Amino acid sequence: MPLNHPHPDASTHAWRWARHLAGLLIACAVAVPALGAEAGARVLTLGMLYPTEPGPRDHAGQIRADLARLGWTEGRNLRIVVVDGQSRAGGLTQAAAELVAQKVDVILGVTSPAAHAAKLAKGDVPVVVWAAHAAVETGLVSNLRRPGGKLTGTESQAPELDAKRIELLKQIVPGLRTLAVLHDAHDEGTVPHLAAIRAAGPRLGVGDLPVAIRGPDDLGPAFDALARRKPDGLLTLTSWMTGGIWPLIQPQALARRLPTLCEFRFMAELGCLLAYGPSFDEINERCAAQIDKIARGTPPGELPIEQPTRFELTINLKTAKVLGIRVPQEMLLRAHAVIE
């Protein structure tokens, strides 16, 4: 064989190397644009609209962790803009308009008042309501299954649970005959709440005594009036206002030896005798999932207003002890949390 003739396998090896090199080049060509696309990916801007400045117990703010689990992380592909109605002269209307002007991709309306303001804001920015109270009854949507328009979110089912709450309190306070109902005079959700309480009253043998307040300055006169009426217990309907001033409400009720009934766990953690209501963790999970779907192209009006499936019974034994109330053992065993 002549020395200058290639080895029989040489052309085969060269062809294999050429194919391998071509494969590497193609892979790099594909990989580089992919990396570039990831680095330049659109950042999701979420506007969080609160009635007042969020405090240290910002339950809605915990949604960040759920968004992170879905791939939306602050500092990488998520930006959050927080505004509130209290710090604006124009209230929630102005705060919602600011978010629209900042071109946020989605607005999370924290509670019904914020969601109403975001819904009425100009433009078509999608709105997710966090824990609406009676979304249909208050006109936020006409249909839970298919809300239409630019709004979806979660419903707290608060009025639907009022009868169950009163029933639970009666197990602790068998002599419950009249229940004072402390509520925010400006909260539209009060109407369906009171309707549910009055509908359940005859069956449970409990009458209601509504007490409207407009702010913390009304608490003293309200409790002085209750002292004259002598109710057997106090249910606080939760609005952003009453929830925020609950640490002021509880001492007033305790001083008058009123067993207290609340909607959410955090209030029992702050002294309410008994609380029964949906899990905020679940509400955050569901809102995060809706924000994720909207960010990926699903129209908000096609997503149903979701209702909770996990409910928490919380009992504060420290408050029970101060009031001289013995909580039945079977109820303690049913509780999701017992504050001791």
Side-chain angles (χ1 to χ4, degrees):
M1 179 181 292
L3 293 178
N4 63 350
H5 194 283
H7 189 275
D9 293 331
S11 59
T12 302
H13 288 312
W15 172 243
R16 287 175 178 171
W17 276 108
R19 283 194 306 172
H20 180 64
L21 180 60
L24 289 174
L25 291 173
I26 291 171
C28 289
V30 172
V32 169
L35 289 172
E38 181 180 350
R42 178 179 67 88
V43 173
L44 170 65
T45 301
L46 173 64
M48 296 185 70
L49 178 61
Y50 291 83
T52 64
E53 184 178 356
R57 298 178 67 89
D58 176 17
H59 304 287
Q62 296 171 14
I63 201 171
R64 289 171 165 85
D66 296 297
L67 286 170
R69 281 190 284 271
L70 294 171
W72 302 102
T73 305
E74 282 186 278
R76 185 169 65 85
N77 60 358
L78 173 66
R79 183 171 73 96
I80 295 180
V81 181
V82 178
V83 298
D84 69 88
Q86 186 180 39
S87 61
R88 271 76 176 171
L92 280 168
T93 300
Q94 180 184 340
E98 287 181 19
L99 289 177
V100 172
Q102 292 195 48
K103 301 187 184 305
V104 299
D105 299 300
V106 183
I107 296 175
L108 181 70
V110 183
T111 70
S112 295
H116 275 286
K119 177 185 175 182
L120 294 174
K122 290 182 179 179
D124 56 359
V125 178
V127 179
V128 174
V129 56
W130 188 92
H133 267 40
V136 173
E137 292 84 348
T138 60
L140 190 60
V141 296
S142 59
N143 189 304
L144 293 181
R145 186 178 296 276
R146 196 173 179 85
K150 63 180 183 180
L151 188 141
T152 187
T154 54
E155 164 67 53
S156 69
Q157 282 192 315
E160 292 89 337
L161 297 174
D162 285 329
K164 178 67 173 179
R165 292 186 182 100
I166 298 170
E167 185 179 344
L168 288 168
L169 184 61
K170 279 205 73 171
Q171 295 179 40
I172 297 178
V173 186
L176 183 67
R177 295 291 179 270
T178 303
L179 182 67
V181 183
L182 187 71
H183 62 87
D184 183 343
H186 301 295
D187 184 17
E188 294 178 343
T190 295
V191 175
H193 265 297
L194 291 178
I197 292 166
R198 285 169 183 160
R203 176 175 63 85
L204 297 173
V206 177
D208 63 279
L209 178 59
V211 182
I213 61 170
R214 291 171 173 77
D217 292 341
D218 290 346
L219 287 178
F223 275 99
D224 289 342
L226 284 179
R228 294 189 292 271
R229 302 289 294 274
K230 296 185 173 16
D232 305 303
L234 174 73
L235 166 61
T236 297
L237 300 181
T238 314
S239 68
W240 191 263
M241 184 268 286
T242 58
I245 67 171
W246 171 250
L248 302 177
I249 296 171
Q250 169 60 11
Q252 295 262 20
L254 199 60
R256 291 162 177 81
R257 305 193 64 77
L258 277 173
T260 43
L261 177 62
C262 299
E263 296 181 70
F264 300 107
R265 176 173 175 166
F266 82 94
M267 301 171 87
E269 292 172 346
L270 294 173
C272 189
L273 174 63
L274 184 152
Y276 181 73
S279 161
F280 282 165
D281 288 342
E282 183 185 14
I283 289 173
N284 281 328
E285 290 166 11
R286 289 176 179 268
C287 285
Q290 290 170 324
I291 292 168
D292 176 64
K293 289 175 183 177
I294 292 169
R296 298 179 191 279
T298 304
E302 295 181 6
L303 296 172
I305 300 286
E306 297 196 30
Q307 301 179 71
T309 59
R310 303 200 304 263
F311 302 95
E312 300 174 331
L313 170 61
T314 309
I315 298 170
N316 191 310
L317 280 183
K318 293 191 291 186
T319 299
K321 184 177 180 180
V322 172
L323 295 172
I325 292 175
R326 179 186 174 277
V327 181
Q329 184 65 24
E330 58 268 26
M331 180 172 281
L332 293 174
L333 293 175
R334 290 167 54 196
H336 294 82
V338 176
I339 313 299
E340 299 185 84

